[in-house]
Amino acid sequence: SISQVYELPIGPRKKILNHGGTFVKNLLGGWAFSGNFDYMSGTPVKITVNGTRPLGFTTAGRANIMPGPFNVNWDNYYKGLPVFNINKFQFPGAWRPGTAAPFYSSLRNPFESNETLGVSKRFFLGERVRAELRVEFENVLNRMRVCGGDRMDNSPYDVAGLDPNNTNFNFGIVSAGTVCQGNMPRRGQAFF
């Protein structure tokens, strides 16, 4: 996370054009530019098993981990394909605990990034009275981030889930059949 504010050195109490009438102060002075830049890796995705076990118990537990790579590819979201290697996980069987860890460093939600830019202008309305107009734009590059793993399968436990009968054909697919944006589109605000 990086934040910065830069005030132009022009106008009252600044190095450049610090003298002059109200018109010059208000026209040239009081300008500032700001930015907030946030970048972070995605949070780990939790894989669970769902389904009815013997005697009618419904549980959510851990899957078995299988050999092979995770092959995480979030571009598969746009193709309606699983975003990771679904053969990496297997239902553990009735009454058996799974061998998979709760989270894996290699299986993460999409990278998150956001750039917010702003510009502000101070107005000098007298010796003691000032006003400020500020305009900010969030997600100024209008990046679309795919929803994370909590939208895979839309199971009752809000996680990506396997089932014992292999009837969950959406396992590993993010929001099958719907568009899912995990961040806000570009938006701006102004205040005085």
Side-chain angles (χ1 to χ4, degrees):
S1 192
I2 302 168
S3 296
Q4 54 82 29
V5 176
Y6 178 73
E7 267 188 74
L8 292 179
I10 300 172
R13 300 185 188 136
K14 303 292 180 190
K15 292 183 178 183
I16 302 171
L17 295 173
N18 53 14
H19 299 291
T22 303
F23 179 74
V24 173
K25 289 179 187 177
N26 284 315
L27 181 65
L28 301 175
W31 288 97
F33 301 93
S34 63
N36 187 34
F37 309 96
D38 296 309
Y39 305 99
M40 65 186 101
S41 65
T43 55
V45 175
K46 184 175 184 180
I47 304 295
T48 62
V49 293
N50 299 324
T52 304
R53 304 260 177 122
L55 302 176
F57 290 102
T58 301
T59 61
R62 293 185 188 175
N64 278 342
I65 189 79
M66 304 305 288
F70 285 105
N71 292 339
V72 178
N73 183 355
W74 286 96
D75 288 336
N76 282 345
Y77 160 79
Y78 301 102
K79 302 171 190 171
L81 300 173
V83 297
F84 62 90
N85 177 8
I86 61 173
N87 296 320
K88 182 79 175 161
F89 299 98
Q90 185 180 62
F91 195 83
W95 300 104
R96 292 188 191 121
T99 59
F103 299 101
Y104 289 95
S105 179
S106 302
L107 184 58
R108 294 183 165 271
N109 285 313
F111 179 80
E112 296 183 33
S113 61
N114 183 41
E115 294 83 12
T116 301
L117 296 178
V119 63
S120 64
K121 171 70 174 103
R122 281 196 195 126
F123 296 95
F124 308 94
L125 306 174
E127 290 295 320
R128 297 184 184 179
V129 179
R130 294 180 187 175
E132 183 175 352
L133 174 64
R134 182 169 189 77
V135 178
E136 291 180 347
F137 287 96
E138 186 176 346
N139 191 10
V140 72
L141 300 177
N142 205 24
R143 298 179 198 229
M144 189 274 200
R145 182 174 49 87
V146 176
C147 286
D150 62 337
R151 294 300 296 272
M152 285 187 237
D153 166 50
N154 293 325
S155 72
Y157 301 98
D158 203 32
V159 289
L162 285 167
D163 68 73
N165 303 317
N166 294 321
T167 57
N168 183 1
F169 301 112
N170 292 329
F171 177 57
I173 298 174
V174 178
S175 293
T178 62
V179 175
C180 185
Q181 183 168 352
N183 64 341
M184 294 295 293
R186 178 181 4 189
R187 62 182 176 172
Q189 64 179 356
F191 48 95
F192 189 73

